[in-house]
Amino acid sequence: MTRTTDARDRLVAAAQELYAARGVGATSPRQVLAASGVGQGSLYHHFPTKHDLTLAAVGATVEDALAESLRALSAEAPALDRALAYLGRPRDALAGCKVGRLTGDQAVMDDDGVRTVVGTYFTRLVDAVARVLTEAGVPDAEARDRAHAAVAVVQGGYVLARATGDADAMRAAVRGMAALLQAEAGR
Amino acid sequence: MTRTTDARDRLVAAAQELYAARGVGATSPRQVLAASGVGQGSLYHHFPTKHDLTLAAVGATVEDALAESLRALSAEAPALDRALAYLGRPRDALAGCKVGRLTGDQAVMDDDGVRTVVGTYFTRLVDAVARVLTEAGVPDAEARDRAHAAVAVVQGGYVLARATGDADAMRAAVRGMAALLQAEAGR
DNA sequence: GTCTATACAACGATAGAC
DNA sequence: GTCTATCGTTGTATAGAC
């Protein structure tokens, strides 16, 4: 098999970038085409429909994002510190979460295949946070609720920051959550 | 002034419904037209551009949503109970927040006027929650962080629920947050 | 596998009669 | 104020040569 998938790779990379910047629904195949520099025919050869392109690009983005998040959660440190490290990770709050934003994208929600990929990201992320909290001594049932809350605070932080145009809103939200988790642990 | 604004009201109501169901960017003026039952010309008479229609419909939705949220926060009850009541309000998690979802809508974020209206909703909501937490005995600086966290948990809960297709994700998130707030208050 | 050229529908918006 | 008819553009997708 010769090196003929170059155009495909460039198409996926261009799509990931445009989707992150403008969303899936607001990005046309034509724009991806222009950004990638390949020809019209190549796009439709590798990705017969927009659905196919979206699935490939979103899949790649989800994989990247999950790997990054899991790194913070599996560092060499006490469990509670790892949970706090996840919360406090540096984030481009005004840009929004590359994955979370897809949830508000009609083009994604209307496409079952793509939506499932996005859903998997969050179930796996919540599971990972719950394991860390359990390790930190939180009883199982409560660890799952706290994990949902922690991941939700981050996603909601993005919403607040973008809506108000103020990145501090995200910082305030994670600070509030971190303080509550520490208060509970330190009693 | 005779009763000639009827078409306008119907247009706004139809737009609010369609925007809530499908988002702003994914809803065309034509669809609003069809749903409202008025003619093409009437739409463009009352709302020369899509921007004007969006501003009117989003403004009305924000007003409604803010009034509803503030009701839970100003009920006749101890301060902490009111904060918990806000968190625990019944919500259609899979539908998403009528206001928060706009944050992920490119058509809204590209329109400064509309985005400002959405931003105001959140600053006022966070302020109201912060006041209640202060009243509940949380020191001022921390009350603002906790308020951001509380509002973010709700918004993030919507994201989790929609992504996973599971309304329980929202319930788990607010349960986790409520438990942390109560633990802190009960020490 | 890649290209250029093109099809056809829906988009936001306007024209002009009533 | 409301209507029908229509404009020019962009959307997703296809045709067919190379």
Side-chain angles (χ1 to χ4, degrees):
Chain A
M1 167 174 159
T2 57
R3 200 75 201 75
T4 52
T5 48
D6 215 32
R8 191 194 154 95
D9 292 346
R10 273 190 292 158
L11 284 164
V12 170
Q16 286 189 263
E17 234 174 274
L18 286 167
Y19 288 176
R22 314 245 339 135
V24 175
T27 301
S28 70
R30 267 152 127 111
Q31 290 173 299
V32 174
L33 212 80
S36 70
V38 308
Q40 189 99 334
S42 285
L43 201 177
Y44 286 99
H45 170 73
H46 292 292
F47 306 104
T49 69
K50 183 176 178 175
H51 159 83
D52 299 304
L53 174 60
T54 302
L55 196 58
V58 168
T61 296
V62 163
E63 242 179 282
D64 294 351
L66 194 55
E68 257 188 80
S69 293
L70 295 185
R71 229 190 322 276
L73 288 168
S74 59
E76 193 81 37
L80 182 63
D81 289 355
R82 275 181 278 146
L84 295 175
Y86 162 73
L87 273 176
R89 277 183 58 206
R91 294 183 172 93
D92 187 349
L94 297 181
C97 173
K98 284 185 176 73
V99 182
R101 275 184 65 192
L102 299 170
T103 287
D105 199 315
Q106 205 59 37
V108 170
M109 297 304 283
D110 286 348
D111 185 325
D112 267 20
V114 178
R115 219 222 54 205
T116 301
V117 170
V118 175
T120 304
Y121 169 82
F122 284 110
T123 54
R124 293 188 56 188
L125 180 54
V126 168
D127 284 352
V129 175
R131 275 195 302 274
V132 170
L133 291 177
T134 302
E135 205 185 319
V138 181
D140 276 42
E142 281 141 35
R144 280 204 70 73
D145 287 355
R146 304 256 195 306
H148 276 88
V151 174
V153 160
V154 171
Q155 291 301 315
Y158 278 118
V159 172
L160 293 186
R162 279 170 66 81
T164 60
D166 178 8
D168 283 337
M170 158 75 90
R171 283 190 277 273
V174 298
R175 218 162 42 218
M177 187 69 189
L180 287 171
L181 285 173
Q182 284 177 300
E184 179 184 54
R187 76 192 159 189
Chain B
M1 168 174 157
T2 57
R3 200 74 201 76
T4 52
T5 49
D6 216 30
R8 192 193 154 94
D9 291 347
R10 273 189 294 157
L11 284 164
V12 171
Q16 285 189 263
E17 235 175 273
L18 286 168
Y19 288 174
R22 312 245 339 134
V24 175
T27 302
S28 70
R30 270 153 126 109
Q31 289 174 299
V32 174
L33 212 82
S36 69
V38 308
Q40 188 98 333
S42 284
L43 202 177
Y44 285 98
H45 171 73
H46 292 292
F47 305 104
T49 70
K50 186 177 176 175
H51 159 83
D52 299 304
L53 174 59
T54 302
L55 195 58
V58 169
T61 296
V62 163
E63 241 179 283
D64 294 352
L66 194 56
E68 258 188 79
S69 293
L70 295 185
R71 230 190 324 275
L73 287 168
S74 60
E76 193 81 37
L80 182 64
D81 288 355
R82 275 180 279 146
L84 295 174
Y86 162 72
L87 273 176
R89 277 184 56 207
R91 294 184 172 92
D92 188 348
L94 296 181
C97 172
K98 284 184 176 71
V99 182
R101 276 184 64 193
L102 300 171
T103 285
D105 198 314
Q106 205 59 37
V108 171
M109 297 303 283
D110 286 348
D111 185 325
D112 267 20
V114 178
R115 219 222 54 204
T116 300
V117 170
V118 175
T120 302
Y121 169 82
F122 284 111
T123 54
R124 294 188 57 187
L125 181 54
V126 169
D127 284 351
V129 175
R131 274 195 302 274
V132 169
L133 290 178
T134 302
E135 202 185 322
V138 180
D140 276 43
E142 281 141 36
R144 280 205 68 74
D145 287 354
R146 304 252 194 310
H148 275 89
V151 174
V153 160
V154 171
Q155 290 301 316
Y158 279 118
V159 172
L160 293 186
R162 278 170 66 82
T164 59
D166 178 8
D168 283 337
M170 158 74 93
R171 282 190 277 274
V174 298
R175 217 163 41 220
M177 186 69 189
L180 287 171
L181 285 173
Q182 284 177 300
E184 178 184 53
R187 75 194 160 186

